[in-house]
Amino acid sequence: MKTCAVIGSNCFTGSHIVDSLLKAGANRVIGISRSPEYKDYYLPYRYGHKVSKTTGDFEFHQIDMVRDFDDLAQLLGKNRPDTVINVAALSEVVLSHERPMEYFETNTKAVVRLADHLRRCDYLDQYVHISSGEVFGSCSGPVNEHSGFNPSTPYAISKAAADQYLYTLINNFDFPATIVRSTNVYGRHQQLFKIIPRAI
């Protein structure tokens, strides 16, 4: 049975990843977030499937990967996940202009520390990093994974820097990383401050 750790399991995307892993039925999932779990209607894995807080398939841990990295490393070492999926990020683009240091601490520095730690572990089969299409900046046409970076906000720069570091690990150490650059993610259970729920 595979063990998956989802860092940022409280966020919209992270909660849906947890939900999908649990639906697959053969996974043990460890959810990790800096905040306590939200209400069930924001967490599809609890709202739709009534996952018990004591189920053997899922466990939640409140850990801040920036301030409590040693606790995170200890938890990962104890559970030895085959796959680590990192969704944790500060993602409000406009706010990044007002608080750039916080964005670089979470989106860059913490990712570098996590990935450097994981590349030295013998249990990891796959690291999945959720990045952002914002790394490409304003685009006049389609882009693909080989398009050049042109970030234009502190948020985008912080994400691009982490991506670039991961490329160095992939190229120099065969680090088993996959980078996902999703854009405009929306759907059921989204938090109310996002544009579609707010408009409705």
Side-chain angles (χ1 to χ4, degrees), residues 9-37:
S9 62
N10 258 2
C11 75
F12 174 68
T13 302
S15 66
H16 278 276
I17 289 172
V18 169
D19 188 50
S20 295
L21 290 169
L22 292 172
K23 281 181 179 177
N27 296 297
R28 177 169 170 260
V29 183
I30 301 163
I32 301 162
S33 181
R34 68 179 180 175
S35 58
E37 281 188 296

Side-chain angles (χ1 to χ4, degrees), residues 45-62:
Y45 61 86
R46 293 213 187 282
Y47 185 84
H49 308 289
K50 304 300 181 189
V51 172
S52 165
K53 292 185 184 292
T54 59
T55 180
D57 295 334
F58 177 78
E59 60 184 71
F60 175 79
H61 297 268
Q62 185 178 350

Side-chain angles (χ1 to χ4, degrees), residues 61-129:
H61 297 268
Q62 185 178 350
I63 297 175
D64 185 328
M65 69 182 289
V66 174
R67 293 166 184 79
D68 305 314
F69 182 80
D70 290 343
D71 293 338
L72 175 60
Q74 183 177 13
L75 177 68
L76 295 175
K78 176 182 176 182
N79 289 278
R80 300 176 61 83
D82 308 274
T83 302
V84 173
I85 303 171
N86 182 22
V87 196
L90 294 180
S91 61
E92 296 303 308
V93 176
V94 175
L95 185 60
S96 72
H97 289 286
E98 304 301 321
R99 296 156 57 179
M101 289 302 298
E102 292 179 40
Y103 278 70
F104 279 92
E105 284 182 353
T106 300
N107 298 349
T108 308
K109 184 178 176 182
V111 171
V112 169
R113 192 173 187 188
L114 174 66
D116 182 61
H117 172 77
L118 289 173
R119 79 174 177 89
R120 302 168 194 275
C121 297
D122 62 358
Y123 53 79
L124 186 73
D125 290 334
Q126 186 69 42
Y127 172 75
V128 179
H129 182 73

